Amino acid sequence: MTEKKNSAQLSEGWAAHILIDQAYHDAWLIAFAHPFENWIERHGDDLYLRSVFFKSCPSARAVHPIAIVILRMMTGAMLLTQITHDARILGVVNVDGSGRRHVTLITESFHMRVAGSSIIEGGEPAARTAVKRASKNLYLEEALAYFGDQGGWFDLYKCIESIEQWAGGGHELEDMNLIPRDEFKRAKRSANNMRHARLKNKALTNEASFDEAWVIVRDLLSAALARKEKELNQ
């Protein structure tokens, strides 16, 4: 007798067991569904990271650092593409024993605002597109990973620094006009000052808050990835 395979069983090969807020499971599964070189699988209530780059790993110790890098990039891509959108309950569905649906429409629905990441770009989730674009350049990969780290001002500055390296330097990046020059300088100056705040304790005029700088860097990274895609298609 052939033994039935458990539907919750992982297929052969390496996998990294990851923890993500359950409210965002579906968004991650949509963004990074198989086939893709790095993808997410759900088995029961757990999520697992799979990758073609795990295949040649001889041990779990070899898989671990690769999984960390991949997850940092994925996190950066999800943060890059998240938007706030409306969610509404428009009705209640009851399915009876015969499978028939009984729908009750609600005219005054419960309404809430939630964060999501299901933006579609070019026919696929934008988070996946961001990872693909970043993978074309080492510095953009680093920028996306630093953006995903969300460790504070240090990671924000390192993200800017990586984008500058991709562009060939700070002045070269400014000349690309990916975002308003003044906004770029403001975010970079604030990030540089704040990452050394304990040493310098230097007050700046027109300093950006962390949230303001985060939005500026997000827009800069998005524009850099789009620019890279355009260059490749020329």
Side-chain angles (χ1 to χ4, degrees):
M1 185 175 76
T2 304
E3 183 179 351
K4 279 191 174 181
K5 187 176 180 181
N6 188 332
S7 61
Q9 183 178 338
L10 283 165
S11 59
E12 184 180 359
W14 293 107
H17 188 188
I18 60 177
L19 179 64
I20 295 171
D21 188 327
Q22 197 163 12
Y24 295 94
H25 278 197
D26 287 344
W28 279 74
L29 288 164
I30 291 170
F32 303 113
H34 192 59
F36 189 42
E37 61 184 15
N38 308 307
W39 70 96
I40 302 293
E41 292 180 3
R42 176 160 54 195
H43 296 275
D45 293 329
D46 297 321
L47 293 187
Y48 295 86
L49 171 63
R50 311 300 300 265
S51 175
V52 297
F53 299 109
F54 293 166
K55 289 184 178 180
S56 60
C57 292
S59 65
R61 187 180 293 273
V63 170
H64 186 245
I66 298 174
I68 289 175
V69 172
I70 293 170
L71 194 59
R72 287 173 66 208
M73 288 184 60
M74 285 181 165
T75 302
M78 293 296 282
L79 289 170
L80 201 63
T81 59
Q82 278 192 347
I83 59 169
T84 300
H85 62 276
D86 293 335
R88 298 177 184 269
I89 299 174
L90 300 177
V92 175
V93 178
N94 178 42
V95 181
D96 62 22
S98 64
R100 187 175 180 179
R101 295 183 184 183
H102 301 272
V103 180
T104 302
L105 297 178
I106 302 174
T107 55
E108 294 184 7
S109 63
F110 174 73
H111 172 255
M112 59 182 177
R113 297 187 68 80
V114 297
S117 54
S118 57
I119 306 174
I120 301 298
E121 182 178 339
E124 69 178 5
R128 180 184 296 205
T129 299
V131 171
K132 284 183 176 180
R133 289 173 175 173
S135 67
K136 305 300 182 182
N137 181 273
L138 177 61
Y139 294 125
L140 291 180
E141 280 188 333
E142 290 180 350
L144 193 59
Y146 278 122
F147 192 73
D149 286 344
Q150 289 298 291
W153 286 106
F154 175 82
D155 290 324
L156 213 56
Y157 185 82
K158 293 298 290 184
C159 180
I160 295 172
E161 195 172 58
S162 296
I163 299 172
E164 286 182 332
Q165 289 176 307
W166 160 73
H171 294 302
E172 288 79 0
L173 180 59
E174 289 180 24
D175 290 341
M176 287 183 176
N177 293 316
L178 298 179
I179 61 172
R181 189 179 299 243
D182 290 344
E183 287 295 286
F184 167 69
K185 287 184 174 180
R186 180 169 173 249
K188 181 181 178 181
R189 185 175 66 248
S190 298
N192 187 45
N193 182 64
M194 293 306 296
R195 72 187 178 120
H196 295 305
R198 292 181 180 177
L199 298 177
K200 291 184 177 180
N201 195 24
K202 180 181 177 182
L204 295 177
T205 57
N206 194 30
E207 186 171 4
S209 68
F210 181 81
D211 288 344
E212 289 173 326
W214 186 90
V215 170
I216 294 169
V217 175
R218 179 200 64 190
D219 292 346
L220 175 64
L221 180 54
S222 294
L225 292 172
R227 174 70 173 262
K228 181 62 180 178
E229 179 73 8
K230 185 177 180 180
E231 290 175 353
L232 291 172
N233 291 332
Q234 286 179 345

